[in-house]
Amino acid sequence: MIWSVDSIPNQEGRIVLVTGANSGLGFDTARFLLNKGAGVILGCRTMQKAELARQKLLEQTPSANIELLEIDLGDLNQVDRAADQIAIKYKKLDLLINNAGVMAPPFTLSKQGLELQFAVNHLSHMALTLKLLPLMSKQDGARVVTVSSGAQYMGKINWNDLQGNNHYDRWASYSQSKLANVMFALELHKRLKKSNCNVASLSSHPGLARTNLQIASVAANGSWQEGFAYKLMGPMFQSSAMGSLPQLLAATDPNAKSGEQYGPRFNFRGYPKLCRVAPLALNMELREKLWELSLKLIRNFIQINSFKEIL
């Protein structure tokens, strides 16, 4: 059976937060959910990007219920403030789609001095999720979907040089952050289940999807070789809309369960299906180690107390 946008159930009455919603997978995810009646909060790095995305979405769905949220995932303090804004403004949150990400930039530090890919792709989404869990736990059927990448299968956690301070390899750091996404999603699932919390934690990956990440990576690194490689691989890439289907399935399909991961049928392209996670993410001891280490890093900059009521 093919799972497509037509398979998305009615989403009327549901409130969704999508990070990185102004372009690529996030924009298409927001677009499809709005078409199904959901109210969508566009989490974007700047209000200007969020407003431009809203105008494009309203052109397609004039009656859409769209809210804007400024959230720079390169700054844990802003993530903290954004989560507080959500908790104050909204009485509920049904879906959190941790979609935003950066891919293979030159060595760059976040606002807190952490390696940017680890900070944006993993730490900030973990912080955001933990801050929003009390709000989400009030809803039956609430889900957290953390978006990874096929790079998870090549990733490993460099415990001795997590931030790449001694040696930085941009693709190794990217793969590390994508493996961390899956490890977080699985560890969150385990802890939510143990706490009898009704929030589900799932992960997804888009396969080879054509988004702004490839363009941004080439521009940031000035690599003509990388640009040439993307051109050669062009026929293998599927559209951003197709790439968004695994996270939409994980977020909305009644049969999708906490702890599962969804990706393209042929791993790099195709309609979505249940897929395996990176073998390293199945190591419970390593997941717990990453969780505690990540939590310690987050707590160096923001206070996360409310999630203790749940986990």
Side-chain angles (χ1 to χ4, degrees), residues 138-154:
K138 299 175 183 178
Q139 287 302 117
D140 289 334
R143 297 184 188 186
V144 178
V145 178
T146 301
V147 181
S148 182
S149 157
Q152 66 178 277
Y153 303 111
M154 300 172 283

Side-chain angles (χ1 to χ4, degrees), residues 25 28 206 208-211 236-245 269:
L25 303 175
D28 283 317
L208 288 177
R210 191 174 291 106
T211 70
M236 299 174 63
F237 279 79
Q238 60 183 357
S239 68
S240 172
M242 281 293 293
S244 70
L245 291 182
R269 63 180 296 128

Side-chain angles (χ1 to χ4, degrees), residues 103-106 170-171 212-223 226 230:
M103 184 177 75
R170 58 194 180 95
W171 286 108
N212 65 317
L213 283 180
Q214 294 90 22
I215 298 171
S217 178
V218 172
N221 293 284
S223 173
E226 187 175 327
Y230 284 134

